[in-house]
Amino acid sequence: MPDVKVTYDKTANAAYIYFTDPQVSVRSAHTYPCDPIDVDGMINLDFDEQGRLIGIEVLAATSKLPEYVLQAAERLDPEGS
């Protein structure tokens, strides 16, 4: 299984899971917000121009993702530097 890049900003309590090659710059062409009531939070799915899923943004990440994922994530906040 390929490695998946995850970034986490503790200050914003937001994580992003990337499904793209780290060597290739891919831009989101469409964002689909999941129903915040159904998922009890805010999760956004990003798609490229061909309709492929390229990433998932997870807000309130500490309540949605396992702690080991957040601990292993690349930190974006000043505390993680």
Side-chain angles (χ1 to χ4, degrees):
M1 177 170 189
D3 290 333
V4 175
K5 179 181 176 182
V6 179
T7 58
Y8 176 56
D9 184 327
K10 186 175 182 179
T11 305
N13 194 18
Y16 197 87
I17 304 165
Y18 294 82
F19 297 116
T20 57
D21 183 339
Q23 307 301 322
V24 179
S25 177
V26 178
R27 299 186 71 115
S28 175
H30 175 72
T31 298
Y32 176 80
C34 297
D35 185 331
I37 294 171
D38 287 346
V39 297
D40 192 28
M42 194 67 205
I43 298 174
N44 296 309
L45 306 176
D46 288 336
F47 295 88
D48 68 11
E49 291 182 359
Q50 287 76 40
R52 292 180 295 231
L53 181 64
I54 59 170
I56 302 172
E57 178 186 38
V58 181
L59 304 178
T62 54
S63 69
K64 298 290 165 222
L65 296 173
E67 182 64 26
Y68 78 91
V69 171
L70 299 177
Q71 288 178 354
E74 176 186 330
R75 294 287 295 272
L76 301 178
D77 55 278
E79 186 177 311
S81 300

